[in-house]
């Protein structure tokens, strides 16, 4: 196929697809839009990830304060027992040794405690950033929603006004008013 016929075929198939597919506008409440915005916003998702990273950092800082516990065990078995010249046992046939050790390291400057405090402050800051981001985004959603409702109401008023003015227009040849002009622009768009 040549290039112009290919373009025509693509245009026709696009028109058929658009004509056959159902085009329905969904009605959303402000609450629905808030829920959608909180779930699908990249800014809010980024703030949530920052909060998770700050919480992991706090957990790492707390881990530096926790003591270290270690356990050990040793069992040795010999071929025979050994004695010294006084007939005292020097080496038993087998020996076992076991134990546990608990260690806590703290610096003199208490930098571990300072690190935990700073990590906690980072978590609090991340929580506040998340709340601020959510509030800003929801405010933008509310403003857009109000703008749509305002435009819809303006269009209804203009249509009502035009319906009331149509019989009068036939009687006089006065120039159209501002609202009539706005209604005509809305219909053209």
């Amino acid at each position: 196929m040549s290039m112009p016929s290919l373009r025509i075929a693509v245009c026709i198939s696009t028109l058929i697809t658009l004509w056959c597919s159902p085009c329905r506008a969904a009605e959303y409440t402000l609450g629905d839009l808030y829920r959608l915005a909180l779930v699908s916003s990249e800014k809010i998702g980024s703030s949530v990830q920052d909060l998770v990273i700050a919480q992991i950092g706090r957990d790492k800082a707390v881990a530096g304060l926790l003591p270290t516990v270690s356990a050990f065990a040793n069992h040795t078995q010999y071929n025979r027992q050994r004695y010294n010249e006084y007939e005292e046992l020097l080496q038993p046939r087998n020996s076992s040794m076991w134990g546990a050790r608990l260690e806590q390291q703290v610096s003199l400057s208490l930098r571990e405690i300072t690190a935990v405090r700073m990590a906690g402050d980072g978590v609090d800051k991340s929580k506040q950033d998340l709340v601020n981001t959510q509030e800003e985004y929801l405010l933008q959603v509310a403003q857009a929603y109000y703008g749509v409702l305002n435009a819809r109401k303006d269009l209804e008023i203009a249509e009502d006004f035009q319906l009331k003015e149509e019989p009068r227009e036939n009687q006089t040849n006065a120039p159209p008013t501002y609202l009539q002009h706005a209604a005509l622009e809305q219909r053209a768009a």
Side-chain angles (χ1 to χ4, degrees):
M1 278 171 53
S2 66
M3 191 61 111
S5 62
L6 182 63
R7 286 184 183 170
I8 291 172
V10 168
C11 288
I12 291 174
S13 65
T14 304
L15 288 174
I16 290 172
T17 303
L18 291 175
W19 181 68
C20 292
S21 64
C23 298
R24 295 183 193 123
E27 293 281 331
Y28 292 103
T29 64
L30 187 57
D32 294 338
L33 292 177
Y34 280 162
R35 281 187 287 284
L36 285 172
L38 289 175
V39 170
S40 63
S41 171
E42 289 183 22
K43 285 182 181 180
I44 294 174
S46 176
S47 292
V48 168
Q49 289 175 355
D50 290 344
L51 177 61
V52 169
I53 290 170
Q55 289 171 339
I56 290 171
R58 183 191 55 203
D59 292 344
K60 286 183 180 180
V62 168
L65 284 177
L66 298 177
T68 304
V69 177
S70 58
F72 59 92
N74 184 17
H75 178 75
T76 308
Q77 188 163 351
Y78 299 104
N79 294 344
R80 58 189 177 122
Q81 294 180 341
R82 293 187 183 218
Y83 296 95
N84 66 4
E85 63 257 9
Y86 301 110
E87 296 297 322
E88 294 176 345
L89 182 63
L90 291 177
Q91 176 181 320
R93 187 174 263 311
N94 58 19
S95 68
S96 298
M97 181 173 54
W98 56 272
R101 186 178 321 191
L102 178 67
E103 295 178 338
Q104 174 68 42
Q105 296 180 357
V106 179
S107 64
L108 291 175
S109 64
L110 299 175
R111 69 173 177 249
E112 294 85 3
I113 295 173
T114 304
V116 170
R117 189 177 314 120
M118 290 175 63
D121 291 345
V123 169
D124 292 340
K125 180 190 172 295
S126 294
K127 285 180 183 178
Q128 288 298 321
D129 288 346
L130 175 62
V131 169
N132 289 339
T133 303
Q134 287 174 335
E135 287 176 353
E136 288 174 10
Y137 199 73
L138 293 179
L139 180 62
Q140 291 174 357
V141 168
Q143 288 172 340
Y145 185 75
Y146 176 73
V148 168
L149 290 179
N150 196 15
R152 181 185 291 174
K153 193 64 173 176
D154 288 346
L155 183 61
E156 288 175 6
I157 291 171
E159 287 175 351
D160 288 345
F161 185 76
Q162 187 176 11
L163 289 176
K164 290 178 182 177
E165 290 294 320
E166 281 181 3
R168 292 183 192 168
E169 281 183 10
N170 294 338
Q171 295 172 0
T172 62
N173 290 333
T177 63
Y178 172 75
L179 289 176
Q180 292 170 344
H181 185 64
L184 292 174
E185 284 182 4
Q186 288 289 337
R187 284 190 179 176

